[in-house]
Amino acid sequence: PAPKKDKKPLSLKTKILGAVGILLIASLVGVYSWGTKTASAETAVSKFFEALQAEDAAALAKQVQLSNGKKMTTKEAEAFIAEYGDIIPYELEDVANVEKNGKVMGVFNAQRVVIPVQKVSFYFADEGLTLSLNGELVEESKTKGDEYVFSGITPGSHKAEFIYKGEFAEFTYPFDLYVGLNPASSEPEEIYEELPLTSVVFALDTFVVDTPEANKVMIGETEIPVNEMGETDEVGPLLFDGSVTAQAQVDFPWGTQLSEPVEITSGYETLDFTGLDEKHQPALIEQVKVFAEEYVEAFAKRDE
């Protein structure tokens, strides 16, 4: 038999290195296990429903990704909870998807609950309209003909406002907006709201003047021309709550006169004069005197 060799005891350094290696391997296994679990679809769905059932909008916003690549805001999460707070896991596939989105620790492909954003439309012929949801403007909007299309909207029940700034009117119109999921159609969901404004035609009932250009409609400092029939084209849009007034302006040979202001409450408004004001009565009398004297003089001289 071969002679037995005496085993040398392990050095302290070797023991330390071995212990460190074992700890490192154990740590890597633990990190891998934790990362895999944290990034899993099951964890994503579990945290989603925990936040949803607790009605914790801030927590829900952290767990959700929108389909346009943006993070859900807390206000958007509140709107989602208001409409979909009572769904159960079985119904999740009807309102959201679970997809790979982002990384955990920069290594593990994370699974997240992704909610598809929606589009809404509103028919309005004039420029200057914006939509605010829960106090924040909807930035992604475009106008196509008479149709406004607003996109990037989270499904849910929103506190909405139309904000209009035009030449003759500025106002906000609050309303409740429910935006549902419509995965089967690419067409936007239409908003059915009637705004308190429309276009107006003005008719002038004034003294006869030589030229139509002498007649105008005044809204504030804006002059609106009148045609030979004494009417304007459609003007607006204008509010119908009486906050906006219009006046007829006529340029007479003896001066320019304005009618009394008329509150706009319908789509066809008539503006008329009830008489000359104190400023223009003496001027007209003097004009008539001059005409009478010249007429009598010409008649007496038989001067054609």
Side-chain angles (χ1 to χ4, degrees), residues 149-229:
V149 178
F150 301 94
S151 58
I153 299 174
T154 304
S157 295
H158 301 268
K159 295 294 182 182
E161 276 188 336
F162 275 130
I163 302 169
Y164 174 72
K165 293 183 179 180
E167 183 179 3
F168 302 106
E170 292 186 8
F171 76 100
T172 58
Y173 177 81
F175 63 102
D176 293 325
L177 177 63
Y178 161 72
V179 180
L181 284 162
N182 191 12
S185 174
S186 60
E187 293 298 317
E189 183 176 340
E190 190 170 345
I191 299 174
Y192 296 97
E193 294 289 336
E194 186 174 350
L195 301 184
L197 76 168
T198 190
S199 297
V200 181
V201 173
F202 295 94
L204 270 63
D205 184 8
T206 64
F207 300 100
V208 177
V209 294
D210 292 335
T211 58
E213 291 79 12
N215 289 334
K216 301 178 184 67
V217 172
M218 300 295 297
I219 299 178
E221 300 296 324
T222 303
E223 294 185 356
I224 302 164
V226 177
N227 59 27
E228 294 181 356
M229 302 299 295

Side-chain angles (χ1 to χ4, degrees), residues 15-230:
K15 290 179 181 180
I16 293 175
L17 290 175
V20 170
I22 293 172
L23 290 174
L24 181 60
I25 293 172
S27 298
L28 291 174
V29 171
V31 169
Y32 178 81
S33 177
W34 175 85
T36 303
K37 183 178 179 180
T38 302
S40 69
E42 291 79 6
T43 300
V45 172
S46 176
K47 289 184 177 180
F48 171 83
F49 275 102
E50 284 178 10
L52 192 65
Q53 292 166 3
E55 297 185 354
D56 189 338
L60 184 67
K62 293 179 180 179
Q63 300 301 323
V64 169
Q65 187 79 22
L66 300 179
S67 61
N68 59 2
K70 294 185 177 181
K71 293 290 293 181
M72 177 184 272
T73 66
T74 302
K75 290 184 177 180
E76 289 174 331
E78 290 174 353
F80 184 85
I81 290 171
E83 188 60 36
Y84 295 101
D86 58 351
I87 64 170
I88 59 177
Y90 177 75
E91 299 171 322
L92 179 61
E93 63 181 11
D94 296 329
V95 297
N97 302 313
V98 180
E99 303 174 3
K100 287 183 180 180
N101 190 287
K103 298 278 188 180
V104 173
M105 297 181 64
V107 177
F108 304 97
N109 290 322
Q111 298 283 335
R112 282 187 181 276
V113 175
V114 178
I115 294 178
V117 294
Q118 305 297 303
K119 294 187 292 185
V120 296
S121 67
F122 182 68
Y123 284 90
F124 188 73
D126 300 279
E127 296 182 358
L129 189 71
T130 55
L131 176 64
S132 170
L133 295 182
N134 312 305
E136 297 181 0
L137 288 177
V138 179
E139 296 180 358
E140 299 177 16
S141 63
K142 63 180 180 179
T143 308
K144 184 178 66 176
D146 292 345
E147 181 184 23
Y148 278 79
V149 178
F150 301 94
S151 58
I153 299 174
T154 304
S157 295
H158 301 268
K159 295 294 182 182
E161 276 188 336
F162 275 130
I163 302 169
Y164 174 72
K165 293 183 179 180
E167 183 179 3
F168 302 106
E170 292 186 8
F171 76 100
T172 58
Y173 177 81
F175 63 102
D176 293 325
L177 177 63
Y178 161 72
V179 180
L181 284 162
N182 191 12
S185 174
S186 60
E187 293 298 317
E189 183 176 340
E190 190 170 345
I191 299 174
Y192 296 97
E193 294 289 336
E194 186 174 350
L195 301 184
L197 76 168
T198 190
S199 297
V200 181
V201 173
F202 295 94
L204 270 63
D205 184 8
T206 64
F207 300 100
V208 177
V209 294
D210 292 335
T211 58
E213 291 79 12
N215 289 334
K216 301 178 184 67
V217 172
M218 300 295 297
I219 299 178
E221 300 296 324
T222 303
E223 294 185 356
I224 302 164
V226 177
N227 59 27
E228 294 181 356
M229 302 299 295

Side-chain angles (χ1 to χ4, degrees), residues 255-272:
T256 299
Q257 183 172 340
L258 286 169
S259 71
E260 292 296 320
V262 174
E263 293 182 354
I264 300 170
T265 58
S266 68
Y268 191 88
E269 293 287 352
T270 300
L271 308 175
D272 61 359

Side-chain angles (χ1 to χ4, degrees), residues 266-294:
S266 68
Y268 191 88
E269 293 287 352
T270 300
L271 308 175
D272 61 359
F273 285 92
T274 58
L276 294 175
D277 56 26
E278 294 180 358
K279 174 184 175 181
H280 291 95
Q281 284 180 11
L284 177 58
I285 291 171
E286 291 300 319
Q287 194 80 5
V288 173
K289 285 182 179 179
V290 172
F291 169 78
E293 291 173 357
E294 291 182 356

